[in-house]
């Protein structure tokens, strides 16, 4: 009997024993058959033996309360084990009822316990008591803080200074709740981290499909092609990693393009280590090979690409036939041979040929994904996503089993209880006219815009965001955040101290993941689910019969949750309802009273989640009770190709059709069930809305693009001044060898460690112990040239500064390229901070010259947690991002992270952790990249600030899209 047979027998026996006791054996949605999860009928009283009492048999009785993890964007399911005697959370494990994570978690999920019990967390509201950054604070009541903040916001609204109010979020972790809060205020004040994360990839996908993310069906793929390390450290990596490994066990081939040897690359059938920025050249060579050899789905391309539009715009002399388009395609990509790709990338020609044949053999079962990596690292990186999806589009592997779906079809966004109108404002601090095609806010340029006096901020919120540390050019952020003429009031909504919170006026303790409410739905397989993050101690106390009306009653200290905070703040901004704000935060059940979280989520679960009321009723539960009990609900699976759906006759009235088959109607809008709207194509000249597209004589739903089809050719890019980029292409990056000096190397700073996530993992001792340093990856040939060994200090010089760190000599990086992980290099100036991961530093400034020197690393300390006295590490890495200038891609707006650097052996006087930065040079680099743009004022084809159909968080009213009228000389007085 082999090991698997033994496991199967034990599982069968466990199932039989459970059934004999009248209980349900629990493989759950995971169907892994390796362990029995606690069955749901015993979640109110689950008994385990206390491990630390062995050999005594001490029973612990637990309530198991579901929630979701907040340590990355995956929102994997968690079960909080709440001790029934003490009502304390003892541990977190996976929730088997969660369809995305299927009961399994990475290290960050169980480490949520460390965050809850972190002895350095903030437990009460704090107000600055000295100069910003001085480290002087005093406790303040919630009432006093709310009244001060609300008064300033109300005055700004009444004075028509709405653009001086800004909310800046890193990881939202919710369903758009705060965007609707801002809309209720009439404020275009939403700012995000996305242009330092994923705008490049989003743009590439959006120009193809009108939808900004891929949803790969990895589990059913024949070939999986990843640009970066998605199996262990990428986007939605735990749910995706499970399915990638499922597919590999079924024989799927895994191809990984990653310049460094990631953990994922070690599992690959093909690991390609290309020169950074050359990825699109390889992908185009593969695409050209598919067409040259006839290894593509010709019928799918004919039906679903907007090739007619391309011929009309770019080849008007050619006959309007598909054969003419095929000839044009081969001409466009004639130079993209395997030899060309090999020359650009350094990957052997034979390897590229093998990969191309492997991709060709996938047919419609090719799943692909990229998110940060090359798309975030390079000038023109958005074309990496565009050329990657080109392979799916050629093979017809779009919304097929094992293919790549547009994420909106595998994601569910419920309708909320109140929907405020689009704000009648446009904030050029976030959506500047120079970047009309950017997919997200130009957030990382904010300090430079403020320095240029384009505007000012009266009230600035930061939430789950640490721009001083996370963004490039953090010292320019510090200069702005300490200048009250630029930022009047800075409110940091955070459960922990951070490099940015140090420069706030108020630090307000918001709940960690298991101390707050949120809704989630993410694209992790071909299906739709909704998951419920909830304050686990609130729910546990309610199960015991306690009445909880405010999450502060169950959270530690005075920690609140943001839903209730925003409702309360909105009422104080508009106490009598005269501003029209309060009505969006009022109860429907009890008009005139504040909306509660129970009513908010209860209404959504009653009215907006198909199938949930019926599933709840079958168990004699309300939908809210069901979600509090199970934590997640699968709405449907096997969604498939939404674009192929015929439009019902009831959706057609006064129909018109453009020359390329786009269909418009005056009928009331309906949508495919549960599909999230993304792109918003323009109506026709008569005001009819786009409803579908004619394909072979049938009006089908199509894609939310201007043409209704997959847009090989983007009329938007062509019309807005980027005609040469209107089809998938390859642009040589700003770190291409021809753009660099002979003594420079490429620094890759985009890769992440599996057990940390930006700065949110720093308050988790288990994660800090696993990962706390970030040496410079250096190939042995480069190390030999520098006379450097592992552990030696090296100096890395960027355009605006330098940093000193240790070398790690490894063959896991290609020659001529170095790499350094982010997450590490946390620092503090004073006593406040996360003492497990933050070094104490001295930061000196002389005009625009900054110098950071390390005073002391971390060390053991006494606290309520005895483990803090056992800290054995002192090194916490080096903060490299401070030395990076801003590099905004002129089309996508994505910060291009890769750096051209000079690496030398550390000189006498250099010390570990030394950082120097010249912020005057940083501003010069900003101006240089700003000059690369093609702004709306010069290039708008229709007098608008931005194409209306492109996605935009917190979209303003359409009339606000018009460019402001120029100021005439006679009006200057």
């Amino acid at each position: 009997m082999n090991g698997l047979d033994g496991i199967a027998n034990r599982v069968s026996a466990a199932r039989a024993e459970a059934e004999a006791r009248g209980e349900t054996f629990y493989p759950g949605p995971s169907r892994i058959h390796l362990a029995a999860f606690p069955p749901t009928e015993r979640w109110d009283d689950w008994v385990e033996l206390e491990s630390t009492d062995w050999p005594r048999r001490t029973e612990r009785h637990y309530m198991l309360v579901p929630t979701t993890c907040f340590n990355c964007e995956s929102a994997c399911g968690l079960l909080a084990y709440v001790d029934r005697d003490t009502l304390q959370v003892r541990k977190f494990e996976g929730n088997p009822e969660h369809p995305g994570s299927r009961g399994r978690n990475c290290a960050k999920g169980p480490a949520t316990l460390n965050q809850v019990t972190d002895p350095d967390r903030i437990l009460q509201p704090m107000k600055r008591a000295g100069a910003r950054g001085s480290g002087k604070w005093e406790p303040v009541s919630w009432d006093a803080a709310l009244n001060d903040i609300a008064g300033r916001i109300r005055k700004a609204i009444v004075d028509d200074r709405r653009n001086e109010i800004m909310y800046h979020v890193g990881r939202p972790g919710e369903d758009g709740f705060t965007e609707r809060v801002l809309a209720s205020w009439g404020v275009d004040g939403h700012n995000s981290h996305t242009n330092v994360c994923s705008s490049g990839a989003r743009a590439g996908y959006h120009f193809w499909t009108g939808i900004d993310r891929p949803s790969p069906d990895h589990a059913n793929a024949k070939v999986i092609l990843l640009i970066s390390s998605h199996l262990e450290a990428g986007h939605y990596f735990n749910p995706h990693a499970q399915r990638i490994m499922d597919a590999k066990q079924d024989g799927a081939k895994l191809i990984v393009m990653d310049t460094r040897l990631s953990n994922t690359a070690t599992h690959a059938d093909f690991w390609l280590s290309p020169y950074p920025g050359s990825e699109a050249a390889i992908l185009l060579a593969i695409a050209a090979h598919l067409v040259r050899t006839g290894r593509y789905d010709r019928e799918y391309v004919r039906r679903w690409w907007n090739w007619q539009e391309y011929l009309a715009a770019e080849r008007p002399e050619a006959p309007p036939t598909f054969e003419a388009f095929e000839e044009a395609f081969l001409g466009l990509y004639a130079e993209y041979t395997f030899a060309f790709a090999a020359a650009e990338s350094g990957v052997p020609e034979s390897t590229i040929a093998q990969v191309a044949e492997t991709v060709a053999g996938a047919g419609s079962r090719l799943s692909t994904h990229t998110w940060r990596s090359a798309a975030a690292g390079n000038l023109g990186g958005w074309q990496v996503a565009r050329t990657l999806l080109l392979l799916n589009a050629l093979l017809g592997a779009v919304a097929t089993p094992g293919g790549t779906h547009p994420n909106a079809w595998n994601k569910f966004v419920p309708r909320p209880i109140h929907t405020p109108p689009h704000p009648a404002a446009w904030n050029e601090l976030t959506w500047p006219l120079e970047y009309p095609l950017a997919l997200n806010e130009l957030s990382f340029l904010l300090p430079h815009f403020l320095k240029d006096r384009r505007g000012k901020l009266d009230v600035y919120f930061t939430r789950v965001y640490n721009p001083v540390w996370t963004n490039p050019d953090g010292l320019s952020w510090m200069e702005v955040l300490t200048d009250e003429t630029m930022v009047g009031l800075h409110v940091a909504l955070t459960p922990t101290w951070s490099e940015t919170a140090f420069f706030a006026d108020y630090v307000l303790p918001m709940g960690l993941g298991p101390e707050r409410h949120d809704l989630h739905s993410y694209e992790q397989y071909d299906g739709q689910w909704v998951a419920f993050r909830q304050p686990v101690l609130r729910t546990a106390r309610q199960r015991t019969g306690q009445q909880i009306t405010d999450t502060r009653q169950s959270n530690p200290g005075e920690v609140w949750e943001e839903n209730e905070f925003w409702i309360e703040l909105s009422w104080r901004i508009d106490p009598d309802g005269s501003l029209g704000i309060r009505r969006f935060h009022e109860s429907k059940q009890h008009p005139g009273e504040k909306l509660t979280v129970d009513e908010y989520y209860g209404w959504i679960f009653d009215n907006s989640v198909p199938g949930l009321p019926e599933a709840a009723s079958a168990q004699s539960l309300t939908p809210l009770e069901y979600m509090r009990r199970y934590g997640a609900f699968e709405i449907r699976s096997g969604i498939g190709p939404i674009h192929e759906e015929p439009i019902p006759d009831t959706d057609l009235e006064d129909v018109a059709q453009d020359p390329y088959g786009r269909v418009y109607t005056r009928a009331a809008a309906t949508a495919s069930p549960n599909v999230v709207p993304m792109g918003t194509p323009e109506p026709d000249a008569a005001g009819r809305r786009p409803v579908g597209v004619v394909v072979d004589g049938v009006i089908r739903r199509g894609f939310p693009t201007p043409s209704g089809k997959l847009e090989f050719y983007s009329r938007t890019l062509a019309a807005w001044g980027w005609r040469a980029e209107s089809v998938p292409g390859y642009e040589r990056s700003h770190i291409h060898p021809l753009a660099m000096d002979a003594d420079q190397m490429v620094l890759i700073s985009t890769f992440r460690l599996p057990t940390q996530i930006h700065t949110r993992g720093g308050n988790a001792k288990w994660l800090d112990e696993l990962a706390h340093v970030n040496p410079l990856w250096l190939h042995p040939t480069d190390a030999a040239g520098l006379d450097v060994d592992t552990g030696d200090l090296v100096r890395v010089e960027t355009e605006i500064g330098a940093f000193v760190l240790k070398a790690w000599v490894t063959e896991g990086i290609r020659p001529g390229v170095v790499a350094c992980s982010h997450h590490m290099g946390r620092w503090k100036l004073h006593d406040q901070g996360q003492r497990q991961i933050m070094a104490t530093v001295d930061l000196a400034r002389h005009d625009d010259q900054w110098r950071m020197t390390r005073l002391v690393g971390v060390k053991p300390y006494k606290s309520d947690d005895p483990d803090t006295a056992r800290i054995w590490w002192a090194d916490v890495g080096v903060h490299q991002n401070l030395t990076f200038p801003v590099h905004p891609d002129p089309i996508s707006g994505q910060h291009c992270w890769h750096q051209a650097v000079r690496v030398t052996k550390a000189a006498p006087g250099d010390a570990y952790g030394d950082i120097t930065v010249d912020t005057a040079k940083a501003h010069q680099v900003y101006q240089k990249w700003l000059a690369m743009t093609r702004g709306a004022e010069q290039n708008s084809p229709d007098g608008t600030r931005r194409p209306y159909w492109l996605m935009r968080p917190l979209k303003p009213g359409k009339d606000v899209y018009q460019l402001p009228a120029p100021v005439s000389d006679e009006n200057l007085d």
Side-chain angles (χ1 to χ4, degrees), residues 72 74 228-238 264 371 752:
C72 84
S74 298
S228 83
S229 57
H230 276 77
L231 191 154
E232 107 279 359
H235 201 53
Y236 305 144
F237 74 91
N238 170 38
T264 304
W371 201 234
R752 59 179 52 168

Side-chain angles (χ1 to χ4, degrees), residues 48-200:
E48 291 188 353
L49 298 180
E50 175 57 58
S51 60
T52 59
D53 282 0
W54 188 89
R56 295 185 303 276
R57 294 175 60 84
T58 303
E59 290 188 351
R60 293 283 186 182
H61 289 253
Y62 295 104
M63 276 187 285
L64 273 53
V65 181
T67 188
T68 58
C69 183
F70 198 21
N71 282 331
C72 84
E73 194 176 357
S74 298
C76 296
L78 291 176
L79 284 180
Y81 283 61
V82 181
D83 191 304
R84 292 183 59 88
D85 296 323
T86 64
L87 289 182
Q88 293 178 315
V89 180
R90 295 291 304 277
K91 64 178 177 178
F92 289 92
E93 292 189 352
N95 178 8
E97 291 290 323
H98 192 296
S101 56
R102 306 186 296 185
R104 290 171 275 187
N105 299 94
C106 75
K108 295 193 289 293
T112 299
L113 181 66
N114 303 158
Q115 298 168 312
V116 171
T117 59
D118 170 25
D120 295 328
R121 66 178 300 188
I122 303 164
L123 294 175
Q124 60 183 338
M126 305 294 287
K127 183 177 182 180
R128 174 169 62 90
R132 283 184 185 163
S134 65
K136 297 178 180 178
W137 301 89
E138 61 186 11
V140 64
S141 70
W142 275 109
D143 274 340
L146 284 163
N147 286 336
D148 185 13
I149 299 165
R152 291 188 71 133
I153 293 174
R154 179 181 176 87
K155 189 173 190 315
I157 292 172
V158 171
D159 292 348
D160 198 23
R161 293 183 288 109
R162 296 170 190 264
N163 282 352
E164 294 183 12
I165 302 166
M166 185 178 290
Y167 164 78
H168 205 160
V169 64
R171 179 62 59 209
E174 41 108 323
D175 68 333
F177 187 100
T178 315
E179 290 182 26
R180 292 189 290 274
V181 170
L182 295 169
S184 77
W185 299 354
V187 166
D188 184 28
H190 184 275
N191 206 348
S192 74
H193 82 300
T194 312
N195 268 337
V196 299
C197 179
S198 57
S199 283

Side-chain angles (χ1 to χ4, degrees), residues 477-501:
W477 279 88
M478 193 183 304
E479 289 174 355
V480 165
L481 291 176
T482 52
D483 188 333
E484 294 183 46
T485 69
M486 298 186 192
V487 180
L489 182 73
H490 174 196
V491 182
L493 308 175
T494 174
T496 61
W497 292 103
S498 72
E499 290 81 350
T500 299

Side-chain angles (χ1 to χ4, degrees), residues 856-876:
V856 63
V858 300
K859 56 185 178 181
Y861 64 99
K862 291 184 178 180
S863 72
D864 294 338
D865 181 356
D867 280 348
T868 62
R870 304 183 182 110
I871 290 174
W872 54 266
W873 62 95
D875 188 359
V876 292

